[in-house]
Amino acid sequence: MNWTRHHILGLADWVAPEYDILLQTASSFREVLSRRTKKVPALQGQVVTNMFFEPSTRTRSSFELAAKRLSADILNFSPGSSSLSKGETILDTAKTYLAMGTDIMVIRHKQAGVPQAIAAEMDRLETGVCVLNGGDGQHEHPSQGLLDLFTLCCLLDSDNPRVDLLKGKKIAIVGDILHSRVARSNIWSLTKAEAQVHLVGPPTLVPQFFTQMATQLPGDQLFLHWDLEPALRGADFVMTLRLQQERMTAHLLPSLREYHQRYGITRDRLKLCHPQVKILHPGPVNRGVEISSDLMDDREFSLIQQQVTSGIAVRMALLYLLGTLNS
Ligand code: NCD
């Protein structure tokens, strides 16, 4: 299979060979990043514009570094200091960056659908510009889903990461599933890899409607729990998620203390899992809430720093696949 995708807006319709192309490409960039000169000329002369309408530490810096490692020129847009505050629309902002010669736009917005709308406008105008979703509302965060996949597959076979390594693995995703675009992207990628995905959290944050996602999947692959124990029992991986209080419009939680008591990942609770269990978290972490502080820093269990490192190779792969298709 050859790479044909022009925009990366979500993982819902990705097929297994596409994941494998991405994993192999990321793997070769991981090798580049281990060299003394961590840079290749692949995107020389191309312009990547980071348009982040929502706060971000990891994703934005990671895309920026990935673009620089590929020798692209990078523009960084931040809403506070832009003409948005003077009433310019998002589409007009995008067209301004288009007029400067942007080839790839990375877009994050609190509203689901904004990257899709910009991609549609770029296509309508026949610009050839590629759009990458850097996280839209509660919808999807494809580059995070892919870096999580890469982290897991590299752990299982560092030399040859591929999706079939995850077949039959049990992965518990714990916490605020309702507001999480990371969870949604991971559900698509992990079930496509034929892993068993167990969602767990309080009923207010793991609503019944996630069972509808299960009906779109072949076979028994997605399970819902409101108690931690059945989700953790025998789990190979535990992915914890931040409580996204900025997106909570009602009182969905009793208190952070109580949440930690019922759903926090601690050393004691890890005993329910597979002995070699590993923990992931997309960050930012509320220390001592989703996960106990000591566990977060314990390299024996925590993949959190590896996720951040993987993110650069994965985003290089995404920019490269789109950028070389462009030229
Ligand atoms: C996530 C996001 O922004 O969706 N973080 C990230 O990109 N690494 C998760 C979160 O904000 O909790």
Side-chain angles (χ1 to χ4, degrees):
M1 185 186 174
N2 288 328
W3 185 264
T4 52
R5 220 170 260 279
H6 188 64
H7 304 296
I8 313 277
L9 301 172
L11 300 182
D13 61 348
W14 275 49
V15 292
E18 285 179 286
Y19 286 112
D20 281 335
I21 293 175
L22 187 280
L23 293 172
Q24 281 154 25
T25 313
S27 184
S28 61
F29 284 125
R30 189 186 48 171
E31 190 274 314
V32 169
L33 294 171
S34 70
R35 295 182 201 158
R36 216 169 86 84
T37 306
K38 302 171 175 56
K39 206 162 172 149
V40 286
L43 296 193
Q44 205 156 37
Q46 292 206 33
V47 178
V48 176
T49 300
N50 256 342
M51 296 171 67
F52 278 59
F53 298 91
E54 225 194 22
S56 169
T57 305
R58 276 154 271 267
T59 309
R60 183 182 151 129
S61 312
S62 182
F63 269 116
E64 179 169 352
L65 188 56
K68 286 177 171 164
R69 298 288 198 216
L70 292 167
S71 309
D73 296 312
I74 175 105
L75 295 172
N76 276 303
F77 159 88
S78 38
S81 56
S82 76
S83 292
L84 268 191
S85 54
K86 299 182 188 167
E88 186 172 74
T89 69
I90 291 170
L91 274 183
D92 286 334
T93 305
K95 284 181 196 164
T96 302
Y97 283 108
L98 169 69
M100 288 185 198
T102 294
D103 299 286
I104 303 177
M105 291 180 183
V106 184
I107 298 163
R108 167 172 288 197
H109 201 280
K110 70 171 193 287
Q111 194 73 43
V114 168
Q116 289 77 350
I118 295 178
E121 184 66 2
M122 291 299 136
D123 289 349
R124 192 183 68 78
L125 298 172
E126 297 180 3
T127 61
V129 166
C130 301
V131 173
L132 248 156
N133 180 358
D136 64 325
Q138 295 170 208
H139 173 234
E140 281 226 42
H141 192 345
S143 65
Q144 181 70 43
L146 293 168
L147 77 87
D148 292 339
L149 188 74
F150 184 67
T151 307
L152 295 175
C153 293
C154 284
L155 192 79
L156 296 167
D157 186 347
S158 177
D159 296 333
N160 188 13
R162 57 197 190 277
V163 277
D164 68 9
L165 294 163
L166 285 172
K167 190 170 180 172
K169 297 284 182 204
K170 178 171 177 177
I171 302 169
I173 306 184
V174 187
D176 186 356
I177 315 284
L178 174 66
H179 299 102
S180 178
R181 51 196 178 207
V182 176
R184 284 171 179 78
S185 290
N186 267 289
I187 291 170
W188 296 123
S189 57
L190 297 174
T191 54
K192 192 59 84 181
E194 296 185 47
Q196 292 211 339
V197 179
H198 292 253
L199 308 179
V200 55
T204 45
L205 299 179
V206 185
Q208 199 72 50
F209 67 66
F210 274 93
T211 46
Q212 282 167 18
M213 256 177 122
T215 61
Q216 294 175 44
L217 303 166
D220 274 350
Q221 287 189 274
L222 187 64
F223 305 87
L224 263 63
H225 307 273
W226 296 325
D227 284 318
L228 207 44
E229 199 186 317
L232 292 193
R233 205 176 300 120
D236 298 284
F237 300 104
V238 178
M239 184 179 291
T240 53
L241 297 172
R242 186 175 66 88
L243 291 172
Q244 305 209 359
Q245 296 191 74
E246 76 279 15
R247 296 191 213 277
M248 295 186 193
T249 48
H251 289 290
L252 301 176
L253 284 170
S255 72
L256 294 184
R257 214 171 125 256
E258 224 172 295
Y259 175 85
H260 183 69
Q261 272 166 10
R262 285 212 60 191
Y263 298 101
I265 302 301
T266 60
R267 267 176 213 282
D268 224 27
R269 289 193 163 132
L270 277 195
K271 290 181 188 145
L272 291 164
C273 304
H274 187 281
Q276 259 106 53
V277 66
K278 300 281 181 241
I279 305 165
L280 298 99
H281 193 307
V285 181
N286 294 305
R287 266 184 190 270
V289 180
E290 298 102 40
I291 177 171
S292 62
S293 183
D294 64 314
L295 204 50
M296 183 180 159
D297 300 324
D298 187 336
R299 291 268 176 152
E300 191 192 337
F301 294 107
S302 170
L303 296 177
I304 298 173
Q305 295 302 320
Q306 262 145 280
Q307 286 172 274
V308 176
T309 305
S310 296
I312 302 163
V314 166
R315 292 183 171 115
M316 283 174 82
L318 286 169
L319 293 172
Y320 172 81
L321 289 168
L322 298 185
T324 46
L325 193 81
N326 232 0
S327 51

